[in-house]
């Protein structure tokens, strides 16, 4: 299928997925590209992974990151998976434009996948070309790295390489390859792939792999598979709560885009809200708002119910036992999510000690923000800056059309803050580390992409990535990156752009 040259010791690969049964994947190498050119190498991530950044940025390293050369120890493969897309089941999806090069164990002992995305056709490409356009590659790089800096579990971006080739979408667009790093690329849809084939042996083998790799503590439980399921559900509840805390909308929460390890994965038409409103949708392909901001918890639970179904054969001796176990697991999601979300919102309001009514207090503010279409990030950041200075409430009030209603809310908030045993300095510290100054605002992401795609100018991309690496710090001179879009800059729709 290709003729990528071998060699180069860049990664200390140890490939556990390649030791899984043959029906889990197809082995093949990436397809070489015309003129690979490094756009950006993530130095900090390379260091975290124990990789030699200089070697990766060398011509030979860039050939590996472009898929023109297969590194020593790599056992490249495309993973098989299925998935519910917008509620409809597709029994075979799989890595149609991605190839897992292998796994490395990072400096803290965590096993991480090294995957190329946009690396050419695979047996799972269906009608696709296996390639990625530069714009979506830059978008994933920017947003995934911003997520990581915000402290939200996510796949990472190690490198972006321009291919020197065009990909045909509606127009001919410059192509690129992203090197994605993940705890693993096992998805809800990976379990579904085997469930629809009634391959219980494969489900058991996959679950055992997941337990060993992501949830080792589950191995000691009475039923390790139930314990694994509980752990996956808890991680997803926590993940979605964190998304809501920063105004993130994934955009395509299909079961094939939900990671078993609990990382945010697959940055397609995702976006961060500027003005707060729970019904916000950006994705051009989400006409019914299935994946709207406030729907994300329910959708996560729906996806996890699909995961639960695949695991039923492993959840008990009798049919009744299995159903009861699966139901109990999925029913726990609501409480887990509420606890996680309360924690997120409490920190955003500067509260360290849980008290009844905290979530109502948060909703009181969010409702006012929705009514005023207040900028979510700026409002919370202004609140953080006002926490030790009630006079500054007047500044925050400017975000609201009904300033009186905000003043009333602020009074309640200050009453609640007064119940805390924590100093105002500590409250401010908590709030400034929970309320970012910088998020990857859509108009800035689009601007960075436009400069790169139209003019080959990666300056705005580089600047944006650097600014977003320190989202909680005030960065003098970067005020423009903090501001919401002017009306004419506003991006109302995002595209899958595959
Ligand atoms: P996504 O919407 O990116 O989650 O992708 C859904 C499915 O379509 C996955 O199986 C992808 O591998 C596949 N896919 C997306 N874009 C392409 C492409 N350009 N070529 C081949 N397969 C693709
Ligand atoms: Mg996907």
């Amino acid at each position: 299928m290709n003729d990528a040259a071998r060699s180069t010791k860049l990664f200390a690969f140890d490939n556990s997925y390649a030791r899984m049964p043959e029906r889990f994947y197809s082995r093949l190498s990436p397809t070489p590209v015309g003129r690979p050119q490094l756009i950006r190498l993530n130095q900090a991530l390379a260091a975290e992974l124990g990789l030699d950044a200089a070697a990766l940025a060398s011509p030979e390293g860039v050939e590996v990151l472009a898929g023109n050369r297969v590194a020593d120890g790599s056992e490249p493969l495309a993973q098989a998976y299925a998935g519910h897309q917008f509620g409809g089941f597709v029994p075979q999806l799989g890595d149609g434009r991605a190839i897992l090069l292998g796994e490395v164990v990072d400096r803290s002992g965590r096993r991480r996948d090294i995957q190329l995305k946009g690396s050419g056709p695979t047996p799972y490409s269906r009608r696709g070309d296996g390639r990625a356009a530069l714009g979506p590659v830059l978008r994933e790089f920017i947003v995934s790295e911003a997520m990581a800096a915000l402290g939200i579990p996510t796949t990472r971006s190690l490198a972006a390489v321009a291919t020197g080739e065009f990909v045909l979408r509606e127009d001919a667009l410059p192509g690129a390859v992203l090197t994605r790093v993940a705890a693993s690329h096992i998805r809800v849809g990976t379990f579904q792939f085997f469930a629809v084939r009634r391959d219980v042996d494969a489900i058991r083998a996959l679950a055992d792999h997941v337990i060993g790799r992501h949830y080792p503590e589950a191995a000691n439980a009475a039923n390790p598979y139930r314990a694994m399921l509980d752990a996956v559900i808890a991680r997803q509840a926590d993940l979605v709560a964190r998304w809501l805390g920063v105004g993130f909308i994934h955009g395509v929460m299909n079961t094939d885009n939900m990671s078993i390890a609990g990382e945010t994965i697959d940055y397609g038409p995702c976006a961060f809200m500027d003005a707060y409103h729970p019904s916000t949708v950006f994705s051009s392909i989400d006409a019914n708002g299935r994946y709207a901001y406030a729907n994300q918890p329910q959708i996560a639970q729906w996806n996890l119910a699909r995961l639960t179904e695949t695991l039923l054969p492993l959840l008990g001796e009798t049919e009744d036992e299995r159903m009861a176990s699966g139901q109990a697991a999925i029913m726990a999601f609501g409480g887990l999510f509420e606890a996680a979300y309360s924690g997120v919102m409490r920190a955003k309001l500067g509260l360290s000690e849980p008290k009844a009514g905290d979530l109502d207090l948060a909703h009181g503010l969010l409702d006012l923000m929705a009514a005023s279409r207040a900028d979510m990030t700026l409002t919370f950041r202004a609140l953080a800056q006002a926490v030790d200075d009630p006079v500054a409430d007047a500044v925050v009030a400017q975000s609201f059309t009904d300033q009186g209603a905000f003043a009333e809310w602020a009074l309640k908030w200050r009453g609640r803050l007064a119940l805390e045993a924590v100093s105002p300095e500590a409250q401010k510290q908590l709030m400034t580390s929970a309320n970012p100054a910088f998020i990857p605002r859509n108009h800035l992401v689009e601007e960075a992409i436009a400069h790169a795609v139209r003019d080959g100018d990666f300056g705005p991309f580089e600047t944006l990535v650097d600014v977003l690496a320190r989202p909680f710090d005030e960065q003098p001179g970067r005020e423009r990156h903090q501001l919401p879009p002017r009306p004419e800059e506003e991006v109302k729709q995002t595209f899958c752009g595959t």
Side-chain angles (χ1 to χ4, degrees):
M1 193 148 187
N2 66 75
D3 54 357
R6 286 233 154 221
S7 84
T8 61
K9 183 89 194 157
L10 290 166
F11 302 92
F13 282 124
D14 174 43
N15 306 322
S16 64
Y17 210 79
R19 298 193 286 270
M20 297 298 280
E22 291 285 329
R23 60 193 187 285
F24 280 54
Y25 48 77
S26 299
R27 293 184 189 273
L28 82 162
S29 295
T31 307
V33 301
R35 260 182 322 107
Q37 241 187 331
L38 184 63
I39 297 168
R40 185 169 173 122
L41 180 76
N42 188 335
Q43 304 274 345
L45 180 59
E48 188 181 315
L49 296 171
L51 305 175
D52 179 346
L56 282 171
S58 74
E60 209 171 309
V62 173
E63 290 211 334
V64 168
L65 298 173
N68 287 24
R69 192 180 272 275
V70 178
D72 270 355
S74 173
E75 294 167 90
L77 58 86
Q79 292 177 316
Y81 54 85
H84 276 92
Q85 301 191 310
F86 290 90
F89 187 65
V90 185
Q92 175 154 331
L93 290 163
D95 289 334
R97 54 165 167 163
I99 287 180
L100 178 66
L101 297 183
E103 300 152 29
V104 298
V105 176
D106 72 15
R107 284 214 167 135
S108 46
R110 286 178 58 208
R111 179 175 293 272
R112 315 274 288 264
D113 274 5
I114 309 288
Q115 190 206 59
L116 298 185
K117 187 169 172 183
S119 47
T122 77
Y124 311 111
S125 297
R126 292 171 293 164
R127 283 180 298 279
D129 59 3
R131 292 299 182 190
L134 175 61
V137 165
L138 296 182
R139 171 179 280 273
E140 176 155 352
F141 197 118
I142 295 164
V143 184
S144 65
E145 287 305 305
M147 285 295 247
L150 288 165
I152 299 178
T154 177
T155 63
R156 303 289 303 271
S157 297
L158 178 62
V161 172
T163 60
E165 292 177 353
F166 284 96
V167 294
L168 274 181
R169 298 294 179 259
E170 268 161 39
D171 299 311
L173 298 169
V177 177
L178 182 79
T179 306
R180 180 159 72 177
V181 177
S184 82
H185 284 84
I186 300 166
R187 307 141 191 271
V188 170
T190 317
F191 281 94
Q192 290 181 292
F193 179 86
F194 298 113
V196 69
R197 289 164 179 78
R198 305 199 178 281
D199 189 345
V200 179
D201 289 342
I203 290 175
R204 189 177 292 109
L206 183 61
D208 288 338
H209 177 87
V210 165
I211 290 169
R213 190 163 173 179
H214 302 304
Y215 304 102
E217 62 291 349
N220 307 317
N223 183 325
Y225 305 112
R226 169 64 194 277
M228 178 201 89
L229 177 61
D230 288 344
V232 174
I233 290 172
R235 273 204 206 171
Q236 283 295 335
D238 183 66
L239 179 66
V240 175
R242 288 166 187 255
W243 288 356
L244 297 197
V246 293
F248 179 73
I249 303 166
H250 182 285
V252 233
M253 283 180 75
N254 295 332
T255 58
D256 52 306
N257 292 336
M258 183 176 268
S259 155
I260 293 295
E263 291 180 335
T264 312
I265 189 170
D266 267 13
Y267 293 87
C270 62
F272 283 71
M273 291 195 279
D274 296 302
Y276 177 83
H277 202 282
S279 65
T280 306
V281 179
F282 286 97
S283 169
S284 63
I285 55 169
D286 190 5
N288 300 315
R290 179 182 171 90
Y291 300 141
Y293 172 79
N295 274 359
Q296 296 181 115
Q298 285 104 286
I299 291 292
Q301 188 178 24
W302 190 88
N303 289 349
L304 292 163
R306 306 289 78 75
L307 173 66
T308 304
E309 286 160 4
T310 72
L311 292 169
L312 281 178
L314 309 181
L315 293 185
E317 297 295 320
T318 65
E319 179 70 18
D320 285 353
E321 218 179 292
R322 292 192 282 268
M323 289 305 286
S325 179
Q327 244 151 24
I330 196 66
M331 291 304 287
F333 179 88
L336 290 166
F337 170 75
E338 187 162 310
Y341 184 63
S342 300
V344 165
M345 293 314 292
R346 209 175 279 124
K348 288 183 83 67
L349 296 178
L351 306 172
S352 318
E353 301 147 24
K355 288 219 186 328
D358 287 347
L359 208 47
D360 288 339
L361 184 69
H363 279 301
L365 179 64
L366 292 172
D367 290 347
L368 291 177
M369 287 170 57
S372 304
R373 299 219 144 246
D375 185 83
M376 184 178 183
T377 307
L378 280 189
T379 305
F380 276 107
R381 188 73 180 181
L383 208 59
Q385 272 148 349
V387 66
D388 54 355
D389 173 18
V391 177
D393 285 359
V395 179
V396 189
Q398 289 166 11
S399 295
F400 298 89
T401 37
D402 186 347
Q403 300 199 3
F406 172 75
E408 229 171 86
W409 180 86
L411 218 57
K412 273 192 247 166
W413 175 52
R414 294 203 174 274
R416 175 64 184 83
L417 280 170
L419 301 178
E420 297 266 305
V422 179
S423 70
E425 295 74 41
Q427 285 170 342
K428 187 164 191 165
Q429 171 57 32
L430 175 62
M431 285 185 81
T432 44
S433 59
N435 295 301
F438 299 93
I439 53 158
R441 292 187 184 271
N442 249 318
H443 67 293
L444 298 175
V445 174
E446 293 296 339
E447 177 195 70
I449 291 172
H451 280 274
V453 172
R454 267 195 248 126
D455 313 325
D457 172 12
F458 290 92
F461 163 75
E462 298 282 352
T463 304
L464 187 55
V465 172
D466 290 339
V467 169
L468 293 171
R470 299 188 294 125
F472 297 105
D473 294 352
E474 291 299 320
Q475 298 182 41
R478 296 295 178 210
E479 289 74 17
R480 196 177 84 85
H481 287 79
Q482 215 171 340
L483 294 178
R486 293 189 300 269
E488 71 276 14
E489 290 175 325
E490 204 180 329
V491 178
K492 296 208 168 65
Q493 232 181 18
T494 52
F495 299 87
C496 249
T498 51

